[in-house]
Amino acid sequence: MMRRLAPFAVVAAAAVGSYYATLAAAPFGLMRLAEAKIASNAPTNHFTHLPPVRAERQFVVRPSPDLLYSACPYDLTAGPLEVTAVPVPGRYSSISVFDARTDVAFVRNDEQMAGRPMRVVLALEGQTVPVGIETVRVRYATGIILQRVLLADPAEAASVDPIRSKARCRTLAGQQ
Amino acid sequence: MKAVFKWSGLVALGLALGGGLAVWQMQASGLGNDVRVGPWSTGRDIGTAHADMKTRAIVALRGLLALPAQEARYFTATTDSAGAPLSGKCSYALTGGAIEARWWSVTLYDRGGWLIPNRWHRHSIGSARIDADPATRWTVRIGPAEQPGLWVPTGTDGPFELTLRAYRPRGTMARDPARISLPSITRGECRP
């Protein structure tokens, strides 16, 4: 009896393991693909200010054509990352940090910025960060920082561009 | 040697079945299925460390870089209010009222979650163009043929889906999305 059931047990055990391994690995793999796609236009640890979304140019699945996106694929292995941005007056904008597993580690929107510039440092556990700056600790070295700015009309992109382009991410030299 | 091939083959079969099932579930599921409002569904833990493994994988494939619920709620619909799959050959009336959010929009995608090209470059409609008066009911037409007023082209003869984004949700939308009212989707005529 056991000999007859053994093949089924092997198939079932492999299937269960493969099912959960696929679900666990998918977010990391898909995030890597997105990081690589964005980094093909600009280096890692720099913001790319993407043009308005069109069907012919979609940098990620399910983009919103009502938002103007800027993306900074990051890698903290060389040190913490400083992220700065300013809110765009009179409209929704936000900065969000997605880690390598796709979890959101940080969100700050224009209401929370209350008209003031934002400055945070993104760091791995154990990395030294400058004193007195808001710090966000993340579990993984890589991920994507995304800036969203609401456009009521695509034609507004030109007026929003100079402000959203002030968003910066840069590795902090000498911090490890 | 024959036994080695046999057991290796069984393991390979199991791996293929398990991996295939996971990929199929990721492709076939909505962004989240723990809250349903008419034809719309969403998840409570999108984008958070609390999301279960399956939700996280589905969102990674079908809505990567989605924000957590306190910042934005994402509802998807793959059927009309009568339960029939949304088809690019048909016309629909999307009818709703006030949505408790700082801003909201409804966007049309193919079943993979990608915008469908159309010559009007029009893919969404929302609070930027719709009266903010809470007492006002509004209707948006969705369909293959151009229509005056509030209209979003399907751009395809194939199936499509809608995503309703509610940024900075407020009130009941923020506290208990299962109790809100969302736009109905009523099918009209379909071309052959």
Side-chain angles (χ1 to χ4, degrees), chain A:
Chain A
M1 186 66 173
M2 289 293 283
R3 283 175 65 91
R4 278 194 206 162
L5 289 178
F8 295 102
V10 167
V11 171
V16 170
S18 172
Y19 175 79
Y20 285 106
T22 302
L23 291 183
F28 291 97
L30 292 164
M31 197 67 171
R32 270 290 185 196
L33 286 175
E35 289 166 20
K37 192 169 180 179
I38 297 165
S40 66
N41 294 319
T44 299
N45 296 336
H46 287 82
F47 263 110
T48 301
H49 301 288
L50 299 158
V53 171
R54 301 254 308 241
E56 296 77 16
R57 48 170 190 252
Q58 302 180 62
F59 76 105
V60 69
V61 69
R62 213 174 292 273
S64 171
D66 306 299
L67 292 168
L68 201 53
Y69 295 95
S70 304
C72 167
Y74 66 83
D75 185 342
L76 304 178
T77 51
L81 194 76
E82 182 188 55
V83 184
T84 55
V86 296
V88 182
R91 66 184 66 231
Y92 174 85
S93 65
S94 66
I95 294 282
S96 44
V97 177
F98 296 83
D99 70 17
R101 200 176 68 157
T102 73
D103 294 339
V104 176
F106 172 85
V107 186
R108 177 81 34 94
N109 61 52
D110 63 307
E111 289 175 326
Q112 294 159 334
M113 290 186 215
R116 294 187 297 273
M118 183 207 88
R119 183 185 183 205
V120 297
V121 170
L122 201 60
L124 291 165
E125 289 297 339
Q127 285 183 321
T128 306
V129 297
V131 177
I133 302 179
E134 182 179 0
T135 301
V136 178
R137 297 284 180 181
V138 288
R139 293 170 60 190
Y140 306 100
T142 62
I144 295 173
I145 301 163
L146 202 63
Q147 177 176 244
R148 290 170 161 92
V149 180
L150 175 64
L151 293 179
D153 186 298
E156 294 177 345
S159 62
V160 166
D161 245 341
I163 305 172
R164 65 133 176 180
S165 299
K166 291 179 180 174
R168 297 273 186 278
C169 56
R170 66 179 184 98
T171 299
L172 291 175
Q175 306 282 340
Q176 191 52 266

Side-chain angles (χ1 to χ4, degrees), chain B residues 113-174:
Chain B
W114 299 100
L115 298 172
I116 302 167
N118 65 68
R119 65 189 171 95
W120 301 272
H121 302 296
R122 189 184 293 188
H123 308 283
S124 70
I125 197 154
S127 52
R129 292 190 58 202
I130 292 177
D131 196 335
D133 182 353
T136 304
R137 300 287 291 175
W138 50 263
T139 296
V140 171
R141 303 286 170 188
I142 296 170
E146 188 169 7
Q147 298 174 53
L150 302 173
W151 168 69
V152 178
T154 52
T156 177
D157 280 349
F160 69 89
E161 61 187 44
L162 299 171
T163 295
L164 190 156
R165 290 174 168 80
Y167 269 70
R168 299 297 287 161
R170 289 166 181 161
T172 310
M173 169 74 87

